[in-house]
Amino acid sequence: MDARTNERYRKRLLELREELRREGAVEIEPLREGLEPTEKIDEDAAPLTEMNQVIASNRNRLRTRRLQQIAEALERLDEEPDEFGLCESCDEPIPPRRMELQPWVHLCITCQSEQEEQDAPGSRKHLTDYR
C-alpha cells in the first residue's frame, strides 16, 4: 500500500481510538446500591438490573477489544507499512471498502469467515466431518 493510503488509515484509526476513549466505559449499576446489608433486594427490579449489568459489561468488553485491535493495527502500520492492508493468512489485498469501514482488520472476508467457523464452539457438524 502506498504511503498516502497508509496515512489515511492511520488518521482513521487514531480518530476511532479517540472516539472510543471519549465515550469511556459504561457504568455498571450495582445490584445492592443504597441497601443496608440486612435489606432484601427488590425481586422485581433484580432481573432488569442484572440484564443491564450484562449489557454494560459486554459493551465494555467490546470497547476494550476494539481499542486493542486499533493498537495492534497502528503497530502493524508502523512496523510493516508495505504489508498493511494485506490479509495475514492468504497475502491477498483486503478490499478497500472493508479497510475503510474497519481499518483494524487483518484478514480478508474469506479468511475471517474460515477462522470464525473454526473458532465457533459447538458449530454444526456436516456429514463429511464423520468420515
Side-chain angles (χ1 to χ4, degrees):
M1 218 167 267
D2 63 64
R4 195 167 146 208
T5 304
N6 281 352
E7 194 53 41
R8 189 172 76 241
Y9 290 139
R10 177 184 312 284
K11 183 179 177 188
R12 179 73 176 126
L13 286 163
L14 293 171
E15 287 171 358
L16 289 168
R17 182 178 70 182
E18 187 57 34
E19 185 177 312
L20 286 170
R21 286 181 176 170
R22 265 195 320 269
E23 287 175 6
V26 178
E27 290 284 328
I28 298 177
E29 171 184 338
L31 190 58
R32 298 189 57 89
E33 185 173 287
L35 294 179
E36 296 296 321
T38 57
E39 290 183 272
K40 287 190 172 189
I41 296 171
D42 181 359
E43 291 180 16
D44 293 332
L48 178 61
T49 302
E50 289 173 9
M51 182 181 69
N52 287 336
Q53 288 173 337
V54 169
I55 291 169
S57 179
N58 286 339
R59 288 186 63 199
N60 288 337
R61 193 172 14 263
L62 180 64
R63 178 182 167 274
T64 300
R65 183 168 174 247
R66 185 59 34 85
L67 285 168
Q68 180 181 358
Q69 290 171 325
I70 290 170
E72 290 169 357
L74 287 166
E75 188 176 315
R76 284 193 317 270
L77 198 51
D78 288 337
E79 291 177 3
E80 299 172 348
D82 294 337
E83 294 183 22
F84 191 79
L86 295 178
C87 177
E88 289 181 0
S89 183
C90 69
D91 290 328
E92 291 295 318
I94 298 173
R97 182 72 177 143
R98 179 169 166 82
M99 290 297 296
E100 290 293 329
L101 294 173
Q102 300 176 323
W104 58 83
V105 297
H106 56 93
L107 297 172
C108 67
I109 294 171
T110 304
C111 293
Q112 179 78 39
S113 297
E114 289 172 6
Q115 182 182 15
E116 287 173 359
E117 200 172 285
Q118 290 173 357
D119 293 346
S123 60
R124 291 185 83 179
K125 300 292 182 190
H126 301 283
L127 288 176
T128 55
D129 293 342
Y130 297 102
R131 289 185 187 174

